[in-house]
């Protein structure tokens, strides 16, 4: 069972931003927005929240954009359906369309990190009439392929269990995480940080597999998260997940085969909208998916640039906010009006 929320008060972040909850066909989506101008919709990954864009929201707003970061369904104050199938990719795409319409906008640029990257990519793929450009952080675009995803992930584990496979069974990962949400999050964030990966010499791989009969946290580093994650930041994340639990976020992983079936009509389809990719040198997906990056001339024909940040880990927009903001703004300002 999820732990009760921490009683330690956490200061309200981004006091100049506004919180709203909007109705979408699948329920409600909580969002945080600041600024006026063309809409930039930001979609977070696992295990994060709108808060993972705390460095980008004010920067984009100051540059003349309407910066909006959502809590993905299952997170924060957004709806958390009970059915695992309600977290399929098509539902996330529909949520993004619903947010766009609820905000009274006709189009948006969409930006995604971690699981938010494939959500953003598929949103632009399925609704290019509404989403005019897409920026992907950490996870490169990969068109639907021939191999069922759970089969592919099983192969990646080798003699151990790949973490995506470990997340498949409802309740299994929750039983590991929820007795100590804050401690687990601290270890997970630290383990995928650039400093941890570079010091380990394993290029971001320590948290990719689970030993037989073990837990993912068995591979967590002893060191605390690097300076990019303060105690107040960790308190905010922990407070969110102690209240909601982790099932909503984990259910995204539990739909990979369902997504593969749903997206059969887009098998091998390139993403033709203007695109940007930003990854970290020590970000595991940039290694596992190196072939996807090499395929960008075919899969992302309108790509403006693919950037790997030296020494950076998985949490690119939090670890390197100044660099990411500069890359995003340069790209946004290059897009057709």
């Amino acid at each position: 069972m999820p732990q009760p929320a921490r009683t330690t008060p956490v200061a309200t972040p981004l006091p100049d931003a506004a919180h709203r909850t909007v109705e979408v066909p699948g329920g409600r989506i909580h969002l945080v927005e600041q600024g006026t101008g063309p809409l930039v919709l930001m979609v977070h990954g696992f295990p994060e929240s709108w808060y993972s864009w705390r460095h980008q929201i004010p920067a984009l707003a100051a540059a003349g954009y309407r910066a909006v970061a959502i809590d993905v369904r299952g997170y924060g104050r957004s709806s958390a359906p009970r059915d695992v199938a309600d977290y399929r990719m098509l539902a996330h795409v529909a949520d993004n369309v619903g947010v766009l319409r609820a905000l009274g906008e006709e189009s948006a640029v969409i930006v995604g990190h971690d699981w938010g990257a494939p959500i953003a990519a598929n949103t632009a793929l399925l609704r290019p009439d509404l989403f005019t450009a897409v920026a992907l952080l950490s996870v490169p675009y990969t068109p639907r392929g021939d191999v069922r995803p759970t089969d592919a992930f099983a192969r990646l584990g080798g003699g151990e269990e790949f973490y995506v496979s470990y997340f498949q069974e409802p309740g299994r990962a929750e039983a590991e995480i929820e007795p100590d949400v804050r401690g687990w999050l601290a270890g997970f964030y630290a383990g995928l940080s650039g400093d941890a990966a570079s010091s380990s010499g394993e290029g971001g791989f320590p948290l990719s597999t689970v030993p037989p009969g073990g837990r993912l946290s068995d591979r967590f580093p002893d060191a605390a998260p690097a300076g990019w994650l303060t105690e107040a930041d960790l308190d905010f994340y922990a407070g969110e997940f102690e209240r909601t639990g982790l099932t909503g976020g984990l259910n995204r992983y539990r739909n990979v085969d369902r997504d593969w079936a749903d997206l059969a009509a887009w098998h091998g389809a390139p993403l033709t909208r203007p695109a940007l990719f930003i990854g970290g040198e020590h970000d595991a997906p940039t290694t596992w998916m190196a072939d996807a990056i090499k395929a960008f001339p075919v899969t992302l024909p309108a790509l403006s640039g693919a950037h790997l940040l030296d020494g950076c880990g998985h949490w690119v927009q939090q670890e390197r906010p100044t660099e990411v903001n500069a890359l995003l703004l340069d790209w946004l300002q290059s897009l057709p009006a």
Side-chain angles (χ1 to χ4, degrees), residues 282-300:
H282 298 304
D283 189 0
T286 63
T287 301
W288 304 329
M289 306 177 77
D291 288 343
I293 295 174
K294 291 177 182 177
F296 279 168
V298 174
T299 61
L300 289 175

Side-chain angles (χ1 to χ4, degrees), residues 132-159:
T132 58
V134 58
L136 308 176
L137 278 58
S138 295
V139 179
Y141 174 62
T142 53
R144 182 192 187 274
D146 295 322
V147 180
R148 188 173 66 174
T150 52
D151 293 337
F153 291 131
R155 295 171 192 169
L156 283 172

Side-chain angles (χ1 to χ4, degrees), residues 163-255:
Y163 79 100
V164 179
S165 303
Y166 178 70
F167 286 167
Q168 290 301 304
E169 181 184 343
R172 184 181 178 198
E174 288 93 327
E176 172 186 342
I177 301 167
E178 291 177 357
D180 180 14
V181 170
R182 193 177 192 276
W184 193 92
L185 290 173
F188 193 74
Y189 295 147
L192 292 176
S193 298
D195 56 340
S198 59
S199 64
S200 74
E202 298 182 68
F205 283 94
L207 302 190
S208 64
T209 60
V210 177
R215 305 176 303 169
L216 188 62
S217 56
D218 293 339
R219 296 281 168 77
F220 286 175
D222 294 331
W228 61 267
L229 186 75
T230 68
E231 289 296 315
D233 295 332
L234 186 55
D235 280 343
F236 183 87
Y237 283 124
E240 293 290 271
F241 289 112
E242 286 169 347
R243 180 169 49 80
T244 65
L246 274 291
T247 296
L250 290 163
N251 279 345
R252 176 83 288 276
Y253 293 92
R254 295 163 183 161
N255 276 276

Side-chain angles (χ1 to χ4, degrees), residues 28-326:
R28 68 186 184 280
I29 294 293
H30 168 252
L31 58 86
V32 177
E33 64 175 325
Q34 186 175 346
T36 59
L39 176 60
V40 179
L41 182 65
M42 290 169 276
V43 186
H44 66 81
F46 176 88
E48 299 176 274
S49 84
W50 72 266
Y51 187 72
S52 64
W53 303 104
R54 63 194 176 278
H55 302 296
Q56 286 68 51
I57 293 170
L60 293 179
Y65 295 94
R66 186 180 186 184
V68 174
I70 66 170
D71 276 335
V72 171
R73 64 166 55 199
Y75 288 83
R77 289 164 176 78
S78 292
S79 291
R82 291 184 178 275
D83 191 342
V84 172
D86 286 334
Y87 294 84
R88 68 204 313 152
M89 184 61 69
L90 294 181
H92 290 289
V93 171
D95 285 345
N96 292 335
V97 172
V99 168
L100 181 71
R101 290 176 171 157
L103 293 176
E105 299 282 0
E106 295 183 356
S107 65
V109 173
I110 189 165
V111 182
H113 169 255
D114 184 78
W115 259 121
I119 292 173
N122 281 286
T123 299
L125 178 69
L126 273 61
R127 294 306 306 266
D129 55 321
L130 301 177
F131 295 89
T132 58
V134 58
L136 308 176
L137 278 58
S138 295
V139 179
Y141 174 62
T142 53
R144 182 192 187 274
D146 295 322
V147 180
R148 188 173 66 174
T150 52
D151 293 337
F153 291 131
R155 295 171 192 169
L156 283 172
E160 296 192 341
E161 188 174 22
F162 194 60
Y163 79 100
V164 179
S165 303
Y166 178 70
F167 286 167
Q168 290 301 304
E169 181 184 343
R172 184 181 178 198
E174 288 93 327
E176 172 186 342
I177 301 167
E178 291 177 357
D180 180 14
V181 170
R182 193 177 192 276
W184 193 92
L185 290 173
F188 193 74
Y189 295 147
L192 292 176
S193 298
D195 56 340
S198 59
S199 64
S200 74
E202 298 182 68
F205 283 94
L207 302 190
S208 64
T209 60
V210 177
R215 305 176 303 169
L216 188 62
S217 56
D218 293 339
R219 296 281 168 77
F220 286 175
D222 294 331
W228 61 267
L229 186 75
T230 68
E231 289 296 315
D233 295 332
L234 186 55
D235 280 343
F236 183 87
Y237 283 124
E240 293 290 271
F241 289 112
E242 286 169 347
R243 180 169 49 80
T244 65
L246 274 291
T247 296
L250 290 163
N251 279 345
R252 176 83 288 276
Y253 293 92
R254 295 163 183 161
N255 276 276
V256 290
D257 286 347
R258 189 173 283 110
D259 297 338
W260 186 70
D262 287 343
L263 297 170
W266 289 269
H267 182 85
L271 179 52
T272 59
R273 280 304 192 186
L276 175 72
F277 176 74
I278 306 172
E281 177 191 12
H282 298 304
D283 189 0
T286 63
T287 301
W288 304 329
M289 306 177 77
D291 288 343
I293 295 174
K294 291 177 182 177
F296 279 168
V298 174
T299 61
L300 289 175
L303 181 72
S304 296
H307 307 272
L308 291 182
L309 306 183
D310 292 344
C312 186
H314 182 63
W315 318 104
V316 287
Q317 78 270 31
Q318 299 180 81
E319 293 186 51
R320 300 291 179 82
T322 301
E323 293 170 72
V324 169
N325 290 353

